[in-house]
Structure formats: C-alpha cells, structure tokens
C-alpha cells in the first residue's frame, strides 16, 4: 500500500461553473470533493494526500479549453520522487514528468 503523500496544486484561467462542475465530478469519483475552488474565473487546485487522479482531472478539463486558456497543474509524487507538470496554453495541454532531483538541481538546491 502506498505510504508517501503526493501534492497537487495549480490553476486554470479562464474557468466557469461548467468547468468547475466537471473537475468536481472527477474528484468526487475518488472521494476528493474539496480540492478545487472557483474564484471568479480562476480555477484553483490544492491537494495533499495519498493519491491524486491527475489523468481524470485532465480528461475533465480538456473539453473546456479555449484559445485564451492558460495555467498549470503540478503533481509532486513523493513515493516515485517525481514532479509531473501539465501546462495549458490555449487548447493545448502538455504534460512532462521529471525526477525531483532534477528539479532540485535546476533550482540550485
């Protein structure tokens, strides 16, 4: 069984109630209903726990991306010692995973 926590955080702009409802539905399927917040037209995600369903959240977000969409979601997996970053630029989503050692080296730590 998984022991190490993961952290997910990020934002997407512009967002509306329909996008928020889709993300909430994806999260509630995993019993994680309080990880997303809609403030004006900004969707925020903030989670710390054992598992975050990034693929489900991205699948929920995809139909709502617009040419003006911008943002990112980071998932830090302490067990796998990785950072997965998904960036949103217009209707494109790009996901990349790197080891945390690489991230620490890059940041000068």
């Amino acid at each position: 069984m998984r022991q190490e926590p993961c952290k997910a955080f990020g934002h997407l702009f512009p967002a509306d109630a329909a996008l928020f409802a889709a993300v909430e539905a994806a999260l509630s399927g995993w019993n994680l209903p309080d990880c997303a917040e809609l403030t004006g037209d900004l969707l925020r995600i903030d989670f710390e726990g054992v598992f975050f369903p990034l693929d489900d959240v991205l699948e929920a977000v995809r139909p709502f991306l617009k040419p003006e969409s911008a943002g990112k979601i980071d998932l830090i997996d302490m067990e796998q010692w990785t950072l997965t970053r998904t960036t949103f630029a217009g209707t494109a989503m790009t996901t990349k995973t790197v080891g945390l050692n690489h991230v620490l080296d890059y940041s000068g730590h």
Side-chain angles (χ1 to χ4, degrees), residues 52-70:
F52 184 78
L54 180 62
D55 291 339
D56 291 357
V57 170
L58 296 179
E59 188 175 310
V61 165
R62 186 178 304 277
F64 296 94
L65 293 177
K66 303 172 184 177
E68 63 273 16
S69 293

Side-chain angles (χ1 to χ4, degrees), residues 41-91:
D41 57 358
L42 179 68
L43 174 73
R44 293 182 189 176
I45 293 180
D46 188 12
F47 170 81
E48 184 171 347
V50 176
F51 174 77
F52 184 78
L54 180 62
D55 291 339
D56 291 357
V57 170
L58 296 179
E59 188 175 310
V61 165
R62 186 178 304 277
F64 296 94
L65 293 177
K66 303 172 184 177
E68 63 273 16
S69 293
K72 69 178 181 175
I73 298 175
D74 287 342
L75 173 61
I76 299 172
D77 185 329
M78 302 301 280
E79 185 173 88
Q80 298 296 317
W81 201 246
T82 58
L83 167 68
T84 299
R85 173 170 286 170
T86 300
T87 56
F88 306 101
T91 58

Side-chain angles (χ1 to χ4, degrees), residues 83-104:
L83 167 68
T84 299
R85 173 170 286 170
T86 300
T87 56
F88 306 101
T91 58
M93 260 190 324
T94 305
T95 301
K96 182 178 180 182
T97 301
V98 296
L100 283 177
N101 287 341
H102 175 76
V103 174
L104 292 171

